[in-house]
Amino acid sequence: MKKIFLLFVISLACVGSALAQVWVCGNIGYSSMGYHIEENGYTTDYRTHEFLLNPSIGYDVNDRYTVGLNLGYNYSYSPTSHYSVSNDFSIAPFVRYYFADWKSLKFYAEGDVVYNLSHLQNDEHQQYKRFGFAVIPGVDYAITDRIGIEATLGSLNWKRTNFKDNIKQNSWLFNVNSGLTLGLYFYL
């Protein structure tokens, strides 16, 4: 019995040291926005509610490189006169390069390959697929050896959108005003 227990403890120690390079992270958010439009003597009030959930898993290849996978779900609901509901799902493998390291603070650039599937329900039912690339600047701050905070601000994107009626659209987007994104990460 002691040998089995000792073997179990050694196995856990080996798995723990292998998992020390694996981390999980996530962003969760909610926003509510209202706005007022006046046009041709008519006034329309709009309100939108949005919920997002973005878990990630990463593997630190070395001190400078990480590879991983981002998953995403975004739900948007607008109960105003132009009623709409949107469900977006995404998957994005990524490579992250840490270019500056100062004590507990690390700066990085992340390259993502993104695939989205979206369904919009309003006056028309629209479904579209989106494929693209993104470069995202970010910073990690290690609170402890196992827990940290991650922040990103803006991105540079290229997207190709395919609508269900065979309409295709390409777009370049550089956005800094998309807001600050904060996440919490845990090393396993």
Side-chain angles (χ1 to χ4, degrees):
M1 184 69 169
K2 289 181 183 179
K3 290 179 184 178
I4 292 173
F5 180 72
L6 182 60
L7 183 61
F8 179 72
V9 170
I10 291 171
S11 298
L12 281 179
C14 291
V15 169
S17 64
L19 288 177
Q21 298 173 340
V22 176
W23 52 265
V24 292
C25 182
N27 300 320
I28 188 168
Y30 172 80
S31 68
S32 180
M33 178 174 55
Y35 49 99
H36 182 82
I37 296 177
E38 292 183 26
E39 186 175 40
N40 298 328
Y42 295 101
T43 301
T44 307
D45 290 320
Y46 293 95
R47 185 154 233 19
T48 301
H49 304 280
E50 188 172 38
F51 169 76
L52 66 92
L53 177 64
N54 297 319
S56 301
I57 187 164
Y59 174 74
D60 292 341
V61 177
N62 57 37
D63 289 344
R64 293 282 180 205
Y65 288 97
T66 297
V67 294
L69 183 67
N70 292 321
L71 300 174
Y73 173 70
N74 190 343
Y75 172 80
S76 179
Y77 168 69
S78 182
T80 57
S81 60
H82 298 285
Y83 171 82
S84 70
V85 174
S86 173
N87 286 290
D88 302 315
F89 301 93
S90 66
I91 185 167
F94 69 86
V95 175
R96 186 178 286 183
Y97 174 69
Y98 292 94
F99 57 86
D101 189 352
W102 186 64
K103 295 185 182 181
S104 297
L105 197 62
K106 295 201 269 186
F107 295 90
Y108 65 85
E110 180 176 299
D112 292 20
V113 177
V114 183
Y115 176 78
N116 289 77
L117 179 61
S118 298
H119 180 76
L120 176 63
Q121 181 180 353
N122 54 13
D123 299 339
E124 304 172 17
H125 293 281
Q126 296 178 349
Q127 185 172 350
Y128 57 91
K129 298 173 186 169
R130 182 176 288 149
F131 174 77
F133 302 98
V135 177
I136 304 164
V139 62
D140 284 348
Y141 178 73
I143 299 170
T144 69
D145 289 341
R146 299 274 187 214
I147 299 172
I149 297 173
E150 173 181 282
T152 63
L153 181 62
S155 63
L156 176 62
N157 298 296
W158 174 82
K159 296 176 184 177
R160 178 177 180 96
T161 305
N162 296 328
F163 294 93
K164 74 176 183 180
D165 353 357
N166 250 353
I167 299 170
K168 295 179 168 88
Q169 173 186 2
N170 291 324
S171 62
W172 277 102
L173 178 64
F174 177 70
N175 61 355
V176 176
N177 62 349
S178 64
L180 179 67
T181 303
L182 294 174
L184 191 61
Y185 67 85
F186 302 95
Y187 275 94
L188 301 177

